[in-house]
Amino acid sequence: MRTGGFTDVLVIGAGLIGLVTAWRAAQRGLRVTIVAAETAGAASGVAAGMLTPATEAVFGEEPLMRFGALSRDRYPDFITELEDESGEPAGYRAEGTLQIAFDTDDLARLTELGELQTRLGVRAERLTSRECRKLEPMLAPSVRGGILAPDDRSVDPRMLMRALWAAADYRGVVGVRDRVSGLRVFAGRVRGARLESGGELTADQVVLAAGAWSSRIGGLPAGVVPPLRPVKGQLLRLRTPRGERPIVFRTVRGLVKGTPVYLVPRADGEIVLGATQEEMGHDTRLTAGGMWEVLRDAHALVPGVSELEIAETCVGLRPGSPDNEPLLGPTTLPGLHLATGHFRHGVLFTPATGDAMAQALAGEGLPDYARRFAATRRFEGNEGDQ
Amino acid sequence: MRTGGFTDVLVIGAGLIGLVTAWRAAQRGLRVTIVAAETAGAASGVAAGMLTPATEAVFGEEPLMRFGALSRDRYPDFITELEDESGEPAGYRAEGTLQIAFDTDDLARLTELGELQTRLGVRAERLTSRECRKLEPMLAPSVRGGILAPDDRSVDPRMLMRALWAAADYRGVVGVRDRVSGLRVFAGRVRGARLESGGELTADQVVLAAGAWSSRIGGLPAGVVPPLRPVKGQLLRLRTPRGERPIVFRTVRGLVKGTPVYLVPRADGEIVLGATQEEMGHDTRLTAGGMWEVLRDAHALVPGVSELEIAETCVGLRPGSPDNEPLLGPTTLPGLHLATGHFRHGVLFTPATGDAMAQALAGEGLPDYARRFAATRRFEGNEGDQ
């Protein structure tokens, strides 16, 4: 731990986005320090890890869908390289995603989505209810039909974080476990950060990758960072009894009377159920209503969830920008970059964001595919979060 | 801790029933040791603590209802004496219970129950839906009607246990924190117990008050202890935000499409929601289905539960005898007594059971009101649990 030292790049936040940025920047020869503290509600450790660029969540948001498809296409090489550098498994799974509909309205919405997916070149195969149940025998007989997206993947975000830490360490990234009390800004340029412990970190460039907390860092001049809304998600992790088959074999995303719900299986038999979507500010309480909603909708699609043990309940705060799109690269404050605003898509966007941020930090600007998400874009009425 | 010592009475199990037996026996001048270990699923620490002798759970079981009414009538003096001897508050509340019905079938069932209550001399006042909501404004408008039982009480079982420990201690009861590996039986008489740590406890009389585990103690001759079924209950504890009014002011018991659910408020704003009733053996897993069922039914009656934070989830195993009635007093094995089988009513039955057990341990036999529950009664096909 080198506090008080000098570094080329200081990354604030050690979620997936902060870690991938640190690792990719270090691979380019930059000296990188990453600073973070345990934060209740940090999104990465809670996320289910679906890599499904075409879902109801981005319906009608084609730029996000394209960015997602690009990032998903980078995933296989990203995982290979990461596992190679880190020596750690990253929990990547390639079974595809089954999207299903509970009632006829849900099926209509899913059908539209399937057409959009096809138009965007995403493989999407329309299935009858019977075909869905042939793939996933535990589905409720009432499921109306679905879409198989065979190219969709999933990853275990907790394993991915461990692998990214190890790879970053291998590349000489220095980790500092502390909370940032404020940025150090003088002569019109960011120079580093002050720490709650009293220390300071000096850096040429600073990357704010603190998720839903990114616009609340002290010392930010007004208007530099657009306001980020925490969008609360409540999830459950269920445990499959030893020796029993999992209740789903691949990611199952469903629409239940318009509400999305998903079941994501892990190699160890864990099933992640999620998630609510609530705009409650920085509220990380697990609520009766949140648990009930997720359990109700998961039960409607796969009644067998009832038999499973609840291993964990968790709450994450997704970082939502004013237009729900990521905020990447340089800001109007020289030296300060953003890498946040990934909302529901942080895990999917991890490889593409890491590449884009490393390029920006190396002084080459954002790549074309990320330019739309430039942190300097203007929002209607955006006065920042100061 | 006097292991290896001699005592008049050894009580195995430190739930409410074991504690009240130890305290009451010590008050009679008996030297008492109580031995217990932390046990996942122990019922007393999980129970909601309703003191409602007339509920759907005992519908048609008039002897249980009479025993419950007697025990409830003893509660006020019991609490006064206990708080006096222990110097600890026991968490007793006297707001009455509101029983409510979700649909017309539930209301029909509740009406029958109300008639039975009246016949048994329990005050029970029939209320319209509007009258129910006047008492409890957060009830769903769809609630069909209810019954107010103004004499019903509640107690916080965790506070009650703390007070009983303190009172027992005041009376010289010795507590041993260990697990019993088996009874010591020779020359046709129980002589004490062997402990997992290797020690032994010698006693003139032994009381098995180990709840759903009472028939699984090692060293029991066949046929002495009837088999006890663990009846699993899953509960949630919700937290009222500081400064807000609780969502219910008194115990609310509801029937939702035939399923009982309850909300029990505590002085500190905690609301206990329960409970499932599952016959799964000694299974203490918290399940998705259990949580969902309780949340669904509580939400149907009091939608406002959704907003509350989940403070705790818990699982308890109620001890059910072959006829669902308690097992009290001497067994066919000289020196061995039972105090278990209280099923859903352990908290309610605590004062009456303590008095009955102390009388039996003093050699005076069970009092009349408890004789029906004699541990020596025969069950059809009862071969014990060996």
Side-chain angles (χ1 to χ4, degrees), chain A residues 168-235:
Chain A
D169 184 62
Y170 170 78
R171 288 289 179 174
V173 172
V174 173
V176 175
R177 181 181 289 271
D178 205 335
R179 203 174 296 279
V180 169
S181 56
L183 295 180
R184 298 170 61 212
V185 181
F186 42 86
R189 190 177 170 83
V190 70
R191 308 286 174 165
R194 294 184 311 279
L195 304 180
E196 276 199 353
S197 66
E200 289 190 342
L201 294 164
T202 304
D204 246 3
Q205 302 187 87
V206 172
V207 180
L208 252 178
W213 294 263
S214 298
S215 49
R216 292 162 62 117
I217 297 279
L220 270 177
V224 168
V225 178
L228 286 151
R229 314 183 320 283
V231 183
K232 179 178 173 181
Q234 302 192 47
L235 296 89

Side-chain angles (χ1 to χ4, degrees), chain B residues 58-298:
Chain B
V58 289
F59 189 79
E61 300 171 302
E62 299 198 13
L64 274 186
M65 215 149 153
R66 285 184 211 285
F67 189 60
L70 178 139
S71 198
R72 185 207 53 197
D73 290 346
R74 292 188 178 192
Y75 243 104
D77 289 347
F78 168 76
I79 292 289
T80 304
E81 185 179 354
L82 176 63
E83 292 186 337
D84 189 48
E85 287 215 353
S86 67
E88 302 270 354
Y92 186 62
R93 289 171 64 119
E95 286 88 354
T97 293
L98 180 63
Q99 297 162 30
I100 53 176
F102 178 72
D103 67 18
T104 39
D105 286 350
D106 296 326
L107 189 59
R109 204 161 150 209
L110 206 58
T111 304
E112 278 182 73
L113 179 64
E115 284 158 9
L116 177 63
Q117 289 170 337
T118 307
R119 217 161 57 239
L120 287 166
V122 177
R123 278 209 292 159
E125 203 181 316
R126 187 74 166 70
L127 302 183
T128 63
S129 172
R130 180 188 299 258
E131 288 165 335
C132 290
R133 286 203 307 283
K134 201 162 173 191
L135 287 177
E136 294 291 347
M138 299 289 277
L139 293 186
S142 54
V143 163
R144 292 303 175 99
I147 292 173
L148 180 67
D151 300 325
D152 279 351
R153 305 289 179 256
S154 73
V155 69
D156 181 336
R158 295 176 181 180
M159 293 177 76
L160 188 56
M161 280 206 285
R162 271 195 296 276
L164 281 167
W165 266 120
D169 184 61
Y170 170 78
R171 288 287 178 174
V173 172
V174 174
V176 175
R177 181 181 290 270
D178 205 335
R179 201 173 295 279
V180 169
S181 55
L183 295 180
R184 298 170 61 211
V185 181
F186 41 85
R189 190 177 170 84
V190 70
R191 308 286 175 166
R194 295 185 310 279
L195 304 180
E196 276 198 354
S197 66
E200 289 190 342
L201 294 164
T202 304
D204 247 3
Q205 302 187 89
V206 173
V207 180
L208 253 178
W213 292 264
S214 298
S215 49
R216 293 162 62 117
I217 299 279
L220 270 177
V224 168
V225 178
L228 286 151
R229 316 183 318 284
V231 182
K232 178 177 173 180
Q234 302 192 47
L235 298 89
L236 294 111
R237 292 175 143 78
L238 306 183
R239 185 177 289 141
T240 304
R242 203 176 289 274
E244 284 189 21
R245 293 180 357 146
I247 53 165
V248 292
F249 298 111
R250 58 180 62 69
T251 296
V252 172
R253 305 187 66 124
L255 276 175
V256 180
K257 299 182 183 177
T259 303
V261 63
Y262 53 74
L263 299 91
V264 180
R266 303 261 190 253
D268 64 359
E270 185 181 80
I271 307 279
V272 184
L273 292 193
T276 63
Q277 198 161 320
E278 306 160 75
E279 311 238 350
M280 311 268 294
H282 284 264
D283 166 19
T284 55
R285 297 175 314 136
L286 185 80
T287 65
M291 287 297 99
W292 176 64
E293 187 184 302
V294 172
L295 289 169
R296 177 196 61 196
D297 293 341

Side-chain angles (χ1 to χ4, degrees), chain B residues 7-19:
Chain B
T7 191
D8 295 323
V9 174
L10 172 65
V11 178
I12 301 174
L16 288 169
I17 298 299
L19 286 167

Side-chain angles (χ1 to χ4, degrees), chain A residues 238 241 285-292 295-296 299 305-310, chain B residues 238 241 285-292 295-296 299 305-310:
Chain A
L238 306 182
R285 298 175 313 135
L286 185 79
T287 65
M291 287 296 99
W292 176 64
L295 288 169
R296 178 195 61 196
H299 181 267
V305 295
S306 288
E307 306 305 319
L308 298 187
E309 182 176 5
I310 298 177
Chain B
L238 306 183
R285 297 175 314 136
L286 185 80
T287 65
M291 287 297 99
W292 176 64
L295 289 169
R296 177 196 61 196
H299 181 266
V305 295
S306 288
E307 307 305 318
L308 298 187
E309 181 177 5
I310 298 176

Side-chain angles (χ1 to χ4, degrees), chain B residues 215 220-228 322 332 377-386:
Chain B
S215 49
L220 270 177
V224 168
V225 178
L228 286 151
T332 53
R377 71 183 181 276
R378 302 298 298 172
F379 304 100
E380 201 129 332
N382 167 27
E383 300 296 319
D385 196 25
Q386 295 301 297

Side-chain angles (χ1 to χ4, degrees), chain A residues 63-354:
Chain A
L64 274 186
M65 215 151 154
R66 284 183 212 285
F67 189 58
L70 177 140
S71 198
R72 187 206 52 197
D73 291 344
R74 292 187 179 193
Y75 243 103
D77 290 346
F78 168 76
I79 293 289
T80 304
E81 186 179 356
L82 176 63
E83 293 186 337
D84 189 50
E85 286 214 354
S86 67
E88 301 270 353
Y92 186 61
R93 291 171 62 119
E95 286 89 354
T97 293
L98 180 63
Q99 298 163 29
I100 55 178
F102 179 72
D103 67 17
T104 39
D105 285 349
D106 297 325
L107 189 60
R109 202 159 153 212
L110 208 58
T111 304
E112 279 181 74
L113 178 64
E115 284 159 8
L116 178 63
Q117 289 169 336
T118 306
R119 216 159 61 239
L120 286 167
V122 177
R123 279 208 292 158
E125 201 180 315
R126 186 76 166 68
L127 302 183
T128 63
S129 172
R130 180 188 299 259
E131 288 165 335
C132 290
R133 286 203 307 285
K134 201 162 172 191
L135 287 177
E136 294 291 346
M138 300 288 278
L139 292 186
S142 54
V143 163
R144 291 305 173 98
I147 292 173
L148 180 67
D151 300 325
D152 278 351
R153 304 288 180 257
S154 74
V155 70
D156 180 337
R158 294 176 182 182
M159 293 178 74
L160 187 57
M161 279 205 288
R162 272 195 296 277
L164 281 167
W165 266 119
D169 184 62
Y170 170 78
R171 288 289 179 174
V173 172
V174 173
V176 175
R177 181 181 289 271
D178 205 335
R179 203 174 296 279
V180 169
S181 56
L183 295 180
R184 298 170 61 212
V185 181
F186 42 86
R189 190 177 170 83
V190 70
R191 308 286 174 165
R194 294 184 311 279
L195 304 180
E196 276 199 353
S197 66
E200 289 190 342
L201 294 164
T202 304
D204 246 3
Q205 302 187 87
V206 172
V207 180
L208 252 178
W213 294 263
S214 298
S215 49
R216 292 162 62 117
I217 297 279
L220 270 177
V224 168
V225 178
L228 286 151
R229 314 183 320 283
V231 183
K232 179 178 173 181
Q234 302 192 47
L235 296 89
L236 294 112
R237 292 176 144 78
L238 306 182
R239 185 178 289 140
T240 304
R242 203 174 289 274
E244 284 187 21
R245 290 174 7 141
I247 54 164
V248 292
F249 298 111
R250 58 179 66 67
T251 296
V252 172
R253 303 187 69 124
L255 276 174
V256 181
K257 298 180 183 177
T259 304
V261 63
Y262 53 75
L263 299 93
V264 181
R266 302 262 189 252
D268 64 0
E270 185 182 79
I271 308 279
V272 184
L273 293 192
T276 62
Q277 198 160 321
E278 305 159 75
E279 311 239 348
M280 312 268 293
H282 284 264
D283 166 19
T284 56
R285 298 175 313 135
L286 185 79
T287 65
M291 287 296 99
W292 176 64
E293 187 184 301
V294 171
L295 288 169
R296 178 195 61 196
D297 293 341
H299 181 267
L301 297 176
V302 187
V305 295
S306 288
E307 306 305 319
L308 298 187
E309 182 176 5
I310 298 177
E312 192 184 336
T313 52
C314 27
V315 176
L317 299 178
R318 311 172 186 94
S321 72
D323 60 5
N324 288 340
E325 298 190 359
L327 294 163
L328 302 181
T331 64
T332 53
L333 177 63
L336 183 69
H337 295 253
L338 296 187
T340 184
H342 291 74
F343 198 23
R344 296 170 52 126
H345 312 288
V347 185
L348 173 62
F349 293 169
T350 291
T353 296

